[in-house]
Amino acid sequence: MVLRLRGISYDATVAGSHLASGEFGVTWQAHSPTATVSFLQKGKVVATVEGKVVDRGTKYPANQVVYGIAATGAHEIQEIRFRGSAEVIVFSE
């Protein structure tokens, strides 16, 4: 399954990998409770990282990227939420 993110609004890091702002496809393979997540741009994998699958108990109305700010001031992707699902993939907590 490929999830389309309409856009990552900022240049950001995710689990130590840099992503330039733009539109991405995201695929993941769950290994309960972890997941291997790949970010694709123009059909090519640009980053593969590990995350954790967490059930937040609330279904989300849209796909969302949640950002934080790293100590360096850079944007950091903390989690991805999926439309219609209470499960999220968390990269840092």
Side-chain angles (χ1 to χ4, degrees):
M1 175 176 177
V2 176
L3 167 72
R4 284 263 169 238
L5 294 177
R6 293 202 181 268
I8 291 181
S9 303
Y10 312 97
D11 285 358
T13 60
V14 59
S17 293
H18 177 76
L19 296 176
S21 62
E23 194 165 310
F24 286 84
V26 178
T27 63
W28 65 95
Q29 180 76 31
H31 312 289
S32 189
T34 62
T36 301
V37 182
S38 295
F39 291 83
L40 299 93
Q41 218 170 24
K42 297 180 182 174
K44 294 187 180 192
V45 174
V46 294
T48 299
V49 299
E50 294 297 313
K52 181 179 176 185
V53 179
V54 176
D55 189 327
R56 295 280 191 227
T58 301
K59 289 186 179 181
Y60 294 97
N63 296 329
Q64 300 172 326
V65 177
V66 178
Y67 298 94
I69 302 295
T72 62
H75 287 89
E76 184 175 63
I77 297 174
Q78 293 181 331
E79 72 182 48
I80 298 176
R81 298 173 177 169
F82 306 102
R83 180 175 54 95
S85 176
E87 288 187 333
V88 302
I89 297 178
V90 176
F91 300 103
S92 63
E93 283 192 291

